[in-house]
Amino acid sequence: FFVKGIYKQWYQRRVRGQTVVDELQKESFAFDTLVDTLVTLTLNQELFTQFVSEFLAIHRQFKALDLHLLSDEGFGSIMSRVDRTVHHGDYVQSITSTGHLLQFMGTLCRFPHLSASHKKQVTYFQHISNIITKIANNQQYVENLVGGLLFNVEQVFYLSSPDEHITQLLSTMLGGIFNTTPADSATHTVTAKKIECHLKDRGSTKSGFSFSQLSLLYLSAITSSLHNTKMLTLTCETAIESYFVHCENSYPVLSVSWTTLRERFHLSDMAFDNFVTHCIAESCPLNVFLYATHLLLRADGPDERYSVVAMLVDAASRLYPKPGEEGKMLLLWSKIFEILLSLHHNGIRSSAISSMLKQLPSAMLKLAEDRESGGLFNNWFGKKSKYGLEFRMSTRILATFLLYQVNKDGSLRVSAGSRHNLTGEAGKAMDTVRSLVHNKAYLAHIDTLQKCIAMTQDTSRTFLNVMELLRFLSMTYFSERPFLRTIVYVTKS
């Protein structure tokens, strides 16, 4: 009751604005003493049990306070005491004083509007990561402390890029959390899910180059440490997209952004196969694209580059994008075309390129269907496609163009002016594209359809012009997607 009375009187003075600048130092000392006393009394299980309602009432009132009210030394002393109180592997029950103290620290230790000094930030991150790894089997407290931790990490990046010391500390801290034993996988999953949520929700409301660096920090920490491949896949996809969202107003940065992302991609060689499998299962095209750029950097000669494009074609043929994210598939196709064009210019046989290329149209045409599989009467009674009309139309046009570039004998059209020697599949695909011109649903896209039909039937255009068509479709329908602007950049170069 004594502590509660002191706190109430002090808090009322703060609200009335009676504290003056000359008294700030004394006030900081008083507040240090107040919090330290509260921690001491809370750790007394017998006393806590007797006055639990009073303690919880005081804890709740601390939500209105900022960390700047504590001195750096006082905060360091308190964090150190809490760190020493929790032992590795202990199961902290919610009814204990230690359990409530952890909840209290999760409330108190937040940095709104960068109110915490650099020293407080360092102290907090060092101790909180230790505490989280010690209570990894206490999911209730892990969620609370991880939520506060990620909030504070976000605040550090909110106004400007942090200094190198803080960035290195954060990388080490996140790596330490993810590098705990596999038995602590619940902690890894909770942290990864919350990172993904922060990047999708709160992260999307903030802009600027500095916040894009937070996405890079998470990408680096997760790919070098996280054991749960499924969560690794989902969080990486979100981090990549978040990076582009915050870089979209910086074109010079954007033009080299995939290089920057690749430098932060630290997945071990042993995890690659499992990673790609999860990318396909979880519909994460950006991950596959980044992985391909990583492999290409290490590829030694045309044969290894051919292996990379084989992996890409296989992934693109089996990956079904999430609704609303289908534009990401154009990125995969652009990388496939880019590598195949490079192989052609380096003297790889046209037959090898055509055998790889003709695997794509059938998968693309499945994505382009107006209705999902519905059996024999699919065209009339099948479920409506979950993908947008512009994507389905663009995909069908690209598939038809590719079919037109592979002759009936399997050879690749690379000589301008040579006549088309079409397969039956190519003829059917073109008939379907032509029919769209008379479909009311495509009325607003007639000019685009007619232009693309002309490009496809033009004998002066060959497979070597595929990026021209892809670029046109990307700029027409997906120009708002910043990660797709690399298609324009690659085409220009």
Side-chain angles (χ1 to χ4, degrees):
F1 292 109
F2 173 71
V3 173
K4 186 176 181 181
I6 292 176
Y7 175 80
K8 185 176 181 181
Q9 181 183 20
W10 177 88
Y11 184 69
Q12 288 174 346
R13 289 176 65 230
R14 290 290 298 182
V15 172
R16 292 197 300 265
Q18 294 178 2
T19 303
V20 295
V21 176
D22 295 341
E23 297 179 350
L24 285 180
Q25 188 172 0
K26 295 179 182 179
E27 186 178 82
S28 180
F29 174 77
F31 193 67
D32 288 355
T33 305
L34 174 66
V35 177
D36 189 67
T37 304
L38 180 60
V39 170
T40 301
L41 295 177
T42 302
L43 287 175
N44 186 315
Q45 180 63 51
E46 183 179 349
L47 188 65
F48 179 84
T49 304
Q50 186 177 357
F51 300 105
V52 61
S53 60
E54 282 76 14
F55 277 112
L56 295 183
I58 296 175
H59 288 180
R60 283 192 293 270
Q61 292 181 65
F62 271 84
K63 291 182 180 180
L65 303 179
D66 288 340
L67 273 183
H68 74 272
L69 299 172
L70 276 169
S71 69
D72 292 346
E73 293 74 17
F75 180 70
S77 174
I78 292 167
M79 288 300 298
S80 180
R81 288 186 62 191
V82 178
D83 195 348
R84 291 196 306 270
T85 300
V86 181
H87 302 288
H88 186 78
D90 283 355
Y91 187 82
V92 182
Q93 296 183 0
S94 59
I95 60 174
T96 63
S97 59
T98 305
H100 283 291
L101 181 62
L102 289 174
Q103 290 180 327
F104 169 61
M105 296 311 296
T107 299
L108 176 67
C109 299
R110 289 183 175 249
F111 306 158
H113 310 300
L114 294 179
S115 62
S117 66
H118 180 275
K119 189 172 182 179
K120 276 200 188 83
Q121 292 176 6
V122 172
T123 301
Y124 167 79
F125 289 126
Q126 287 175 336
H127 285 293
I128 204 69
S129 58
N130 287 339
I131 295 171
I132 289 173
T133 54
K134 288 178 183 179
I135 62 168
N137 57 348
N138 289 250
Q139 188 167 357
Q140 174 187 353
Y141 300 117
V142 166
E143 289 192 15
N144 184 29
L145 294 180
V146 167
L149 166 68
L150 296 182
F151 173 86
N152 290 334
V153 171
E154 185 177 299
Q155 291 302 310
V156 169
F157 281 84
Y158 182 55
L159 293 180
S160 61
S161 297
D163 60 57
E164 186 176 348
H165 179 235
I166 284 287
T167 303
Q168 183 60 42
L169 174 63
L170 294 177
S171 298
T172 304
M173 175 200 65
L174 290 170
I177 293 174
F178 287 129
N179 260 330
T180 50
T181 64
D184 300 330
S185 59
T187 302
H188 311 156
T189 303
V190 165
T191 307
K193 281 183 177 179
K194 284 190 173 292
I195 287 175
E196 183 187 12
C197 182
H198 275 236
L199 289 174
K200 280 185 175 180
D201 299 335
R202 286 198 286 271
S204 62
T205 65
K206 297 176 174 62
S207 60
F209 178 75
S210 65
F211 210 76
S212 71
Q213 303 308 292
L214 176 59
S215 304
L216 291 178
L217 172 71
Y218 285 147
L219 180 67
S220 177
I222 290 169
T223 54
S224 60
S225 310
L226 186 58
H227 302 296
N228 187 323
T229 310
K230 179 179 177 180
M231 286 310 305
L232 165 69
T233 303
L234 293 171
T235 311
C236 279
E237 184 82 2
T238 304
I240 295 169
E241 189 160 10
S242 173
Y243 175 75
F244 278 104
V245 167
H246 300 298
C247 277
E248 65 178 328
N249 295 323
S250 305
Y251 186 79
V253 175
L254 185 63
S255 65
V256 295
S257 56
W258 284 105
T259 301
T260 306
L261 286 164
R262 190 184 65 237
E263 291 170 351
R264 302 298 185 95
F265 189 72
H266 302 308
L267 203 64
S268 66
D269 292 344
M270 294 178 62
F272 279 142
D273 290 340
N274 201 22
F275 178 70
V276 174
T277 301
H278 277 87
C279 287
I280 295 170
E282 302 299 332
S283 303
C284 297
L286 299 184
N287 284 341
V288 179
F289 184 92
L290 181 58
Y291 172 53
T293 63
H294 173 81
L295 291 181
L296 288 171
L297 183 68
R298 303 166 58 182
D300 185 16
D303 289 343
E304 291 190 8
R305 293 178 66 83
Y306 192 82
S307 297
V308 175
V309 78
M311 179 278 296
L312 275 173
V313 169
D314 176 68
S317 300
R318 295 191 290 132
L319 198 156
Y320 288 84
K322 297 173 185 176
E325 298 182 2
E326 52 265 40
K328 294 178 180 179
M329 293 301 294
L330 275 69
L331 197 63
L332 284 189
W333 297 332
S334 75
K335 181 57 68 176
I336 292 172
F337 300 151
E338 177 191 337
I339 299 172
L340 290 177
L341 289 169
S342 173
L343 290 173
H344 169 74
H345 292 310
N346 282 297
I348 290 289
R349 300 188 315 275
S350 295
S351 58
I353 295 176
S354 63
S355 66
M356 186 67 66
L357 194 65
K358 61 187 180 183
Q359 298 177 41
L360 278 177
S362 58
M364 295 170 76
L365 289 173
K366 286 182 181 178
L367 296 176
E369 292 292 344
D370 289 335
R371 296 187 179 276
E372 296 179 7
S373 179
L376 181 63
F377 301 103
N378 177 50
N379 290 336
W380 296 278
F381 303 110
K383 183 180 178 182
K384 185 178 179 181
S385 173
K386 57 188 176 183
Y387 301 129
L389 183 144
E390 290 83 359
F391 172 74
R392 287 184 277 117
M393 185 185 77
S394 299
T395 302
R396 188 174 293 282
I397 289 170
L398 272 172
T400 303
F401 184 88
L402 295 179
L403 289 170
Y404 260 62
Q405 308 317 316
V406 179
N407 292 317
K408 189 181 294 185
D409 60 0
S411 61
L412 186 69
R413 288 191 70 252
V414 290
S415 299
S418 60
R419 295 185 59 184
H420 293 109
N421 186 11
L422 301 178
T423 62
E425 189 179 4
K428 290 180 182 178
M430 178 54 76
D431 290 341
T432 303
V433 172
R434 283 202 192 102
S435 70
L436 299 181
V437 176
H438 308 289
N439 189 325
K440 291 182 180 179
Y442 294 84
L443 186 62
H445 307 286
I446 291 179
D447 289 344
T448 301
L449 279 167
Q450 291 177 336
K451 181 173 181 176
C452 291
I453 290 171
M455 289 177 67
T456 303
Q457 294 180 320
D458 185 359
T459 56
S460 67
R461 285 187 169 89
T462 66
F463 170 67
L464 305 183
N465 302 103
V466 66
M467 288 299 291
E468 178 188 354
L469 176 60
L470 181 62
R471 179 189 176 193
F472 171 72
L473 293 170
S474 299
M475 293 301 295
T476 302
Y477 295 118
F478 305 98
S479 59
E480 78 283 358
R481 301 297 178 91
F483 52 78
L484 285 180
R485 292 175 193 169
T486 188
I487 295 176
V488 178
Y489 177 77
V490 169
T491 305
K492 285 182 177 179
S493 63

